Every structure is written in C-alpha cells, then in structure tokens.
Amino acid sequence: MIHNLKENNFSLVLSGGGALGIAHLGVLADLEKYVIAPKEIVGTSMGGIIGACMAVGMKEKEIHEEIKAFASVSKWILFSFSGNALVDNSKIEAIFKRLFGDRKMNETIIPLKLIATNLLNGHKRVFAPNDNVYIRDAVLATMAIPGIFDEHVIGGNTYGDGFLCENLGINEAAFDRVLAVDVLGEHSFEKEMPDNFFKTANVLEMFEKSIRLLIYNQTQTHIRNANKNIYLLEPETKHYKTYHFHKVDEIRALGVGLLEGINVS
C-alpha cells in the first residue's frame, strides 16, 4: 500500500478528536520517512490544525514542537465569563496568527480543505482554496467545539466544529485514493462498560464513550457510502482522553508505523 501511495495521487484526510488528533503526527512522520506527499489535505478540528500546518510547508518535527508548546494549557486557555463558551479564543487566535500570518486558503503549498459547521442552520461548510478566507479563520471555525471554544464568525455566518457534520472528511476528497486517519475510529473506545468505584466517574466515561460511538457510526456511514479507495488508519486511542494535551509524545507514538499495516475500505 505504501507503493500505491507513492505512485498515485491521493488525498490525506485527518479527523477531529481533540488531543487524540496528536496521533496524526506519527502518520505525518512516516509519510516523510517514506517520502510520500498528498496532493491535497482535508481536515476537521484537530486534524484541521495539523493539516493546515502541513499544507503551508511545516515539517512534522516543527508541528510536533508547536503542539508541545500548545500542550501548556496556560498558553491558550483564557476562561470566558460571558458568551456561549468556556474558553475565550484570543490566545488561540494569536497562536494561529503567528503560524499562518495573513495567508489565505489559496496560498498553501498543498491544497487544503477545512470542514466546519454552520451553527445557525446545521449545514456543513467546507473552506477550500477557492474561498477568499484567511487560513487562521478557517482553522478557528473547524476547531470551535460548541460550549468549549468560542464560535467563529466568517462573512456574517457563525461556525463551529466540523465534527458535528463530518469528523472524517472523506466526502470532500478530490482524489479516488484517500489516506484517512481516524483517531475516533474503532480503536477509540473500550469494548466493555466502565466499572469505577465512584458513580460520577462511570457517568463521565459513559458520556465520552457515547460521543465517540456517535462520531464513529457517523464516519462508518460515510465510509460505506463513499465510492473511493480508502486506506483507513485507526490509531488505538481508547486509553486517552480528548483533553490529554499533556501526553503529546505518547499520543503521537500511536500513529507511528500504521502505514505499514494499512487497511483498505
């Protein structure tokens, strides 16, 4: 399968998943190792952040260092006491301004598509190279988890996280061959019920597991209905939480080596 990717044009599709998306870095490291590059990148949420960095020419090592710095919560968390979200985006905006400057969606080295959700009508919005939109704005839209991060307004429309409509954006891939990395795939949830001493812990685990199952089934429906050759990678993220940003190296390692045992859906 590595040979197929080397010899043919393909889209790289990176899913959302909060801190679990750090596993995308391991896959990017392997792509660099085998000197394989996609012809386009499609990203949602955390996959959108990492995909955008790759699209503007950053190497995996550089992105890794940025994510490590990002893992220091105090650098990007600013709690908000008004509005609809817990976190004020001003610190995050400053980070993306530094990374992407005033580049627009048509100013990338690799064509980039970022998936967001229109929070007023529920429709999927794909920010693509033909959009006159700053990369940093599209990234802020795709990662805006409702209730956690501020929703982001672009062109008078209010956007939130792309996971609400398509967490693994295979439907937006332009090429027949798709390398898809799903950090909320089959290996993202335990195959047993939680059994903690405290009921509160069980309730919280059940809630997170339910969200993962919901997104997993959404993605499986998209895969079944896709008329593409999908090379699917599903890192084993079940032992980590979506907020485990402090476990950067551990989660990155989950994506390393997956190219060698690739599955085709």
Side-chain angles (χ1 to χ4, degrees), residues 58 62-71 95 98-99:
M58 292 177 65
E62 297 174 76
I63 306 172
H64 187 186
E65 291 304 315
E66 289 291 344
I67 297 294
K68 271 190 172 180
F70 190 76
I95 292 172
R98 176 174 56 79
L99 288 176

Side-chain angles (χ1 to χ4, degrees), residues 163-218:
F163 87 85
L164 295 169
C165 52
E166 190 171 6
N167 195 56
L168 185 69
I170 54 176
N171 287 318
E172 304 309 324
F175 295 95
D176 179 63
R177 286 178 175 79
V178 178
L179 176 61
V181 188
D182 188 8
V183 301
L184 286 175
E186 184 178 1
H187 307 309
S188 69
F189 50 87
E190 297 283 358
K191 303 300 190 296
E192 57 189 28
M193 301 297 284
D195 187 25
N196 299 294
F197 180 79
F198 293 106
K199 181 177 180 178
T200 303
N202 290 329
V203 170
L204 291 174
E205 280 194 28
M206 279 302 298
F207 179 74
E208 177 153 356
K209 181 174 183 177
S210 297
I211 295 298
R212 293 191 189 197
L213 288 171
L214 180 68
I215 294 172
Y216 168 71
N217 281 293
Q218 172 209 81

Side-chain angles (χ1 to χ4, degrees), residues 42-64:
V42 182
T44 302
S45 200
M46 190 62 177
I49 296 172
I50 290 175
C53 290
M54 184 184 187
V56 299
M58 292 177 65
K59 296 299 185 184
E60 189 276 332
K61 185 177 180 181
E62 297 174 76
I63 306 172
H64 187 186

Side-chain angles (χ1 to χ4, degrees), residues 57-226:
M58 292 177 65
K59 296 299 185 184
E60 189 276 332
K61 185 177 180 181
E62 297 174 76
I63 306 172
H64 187 186
E65 291 304 315
E66 289 291 344
I67 297 294
K68 271 190 172 180
F70 190 76
S72 175
V73 173
S74 63
K75 293 189 177 181
W76 57 273
I77 284 287
L78 182 62
F79 287 105
S80 175
F81 296 100
S82 61
N84 302 318
L86 291 174
V87 178
D88 183 296
N89 281 0
S90 57
K91 284 190 175 184
I92 303 174
E93 286 187 39
I95 292 172
F96 293 151
K97 171 70 173 176
R98 176 174 56 79
L99 288 176
F100 305 117
D102 290 330
R103 286 191 186 95
K104 293 191 174 181
M105 291 295 292
N106 64 350
E107 297 178 306
T108 58
I109 296 171
I110 302 172
L112 174 67
K113 295 174 182 172
L114 298 175
I115 297 173
T117 306
N118 187 312
L119 293 179
L120 300 183
N121 59 27
H123 294 172
K124 177 168 67 173
R125 175 65 160 97
V126 182
F127 294 100
N130 61 348
D131 285 304
N132 187 31
V133 170
Y134 291 116
I135 295 172
R136 65 175 186 266
D137 282 325
V139 170
L140 284 164
T142 190
M143 59 149 282
I145 302 171
I148 305 298
F149 297 106
D150 281 334
E151 58 273 14
H152 198 63
V153 178
I154 301 175
N157 291 303
T158 305
Y159 296 104
D161 200 303
F163 87 85
L164 295 169
C165 52
E166 190 171 6
N167 195 56
L168 185 69
I170 54 176
N171 287 318
E172 304 309 324
F175 295 95
D176 179 63
R177 286 178 175 79
V178 178
L179 176 61
V181 188
D182 188 8
V183 301
L184 286 175
E186 184 178 1
H187 307 309
S188 69
F189 50 87
E190 297 283 358
K191 303 300 190 296
E192 57 189 28
M193 301 297 284
D195 187 25
N196 299 294
F197 180 79
F198 293 106
K199 181 177 180 178
T200 303
N202 290 329
V203 170
L204 291 174
E205 280 194 28
M206 279 302 298
F207 179 74
E208 177 153 356
K209 181 174 183 177
S210 297
I211 295 298
R212 293 191 189 197
L213 288 171
L214 180 68
I215 294 172
Y216 168 71
N217 281 293
Q218 172 209 81
T219 296
Q220 287 300 303
T221 298
H222 290 312
I223 290 174
R224 284 194 298 270
N225 294 324

Side-chain angles (χ1 to χ4, degrees), residues 3-10 37 39 177 231:
H3 176 76
N4 284 343
L5 292 175
K6 267 196 169 185
E7 298 299 320
N8 297 282
N9 293 338
F10 70 95
K39 286 297 182 181
R177 286 178 175 79
Y231 306 143

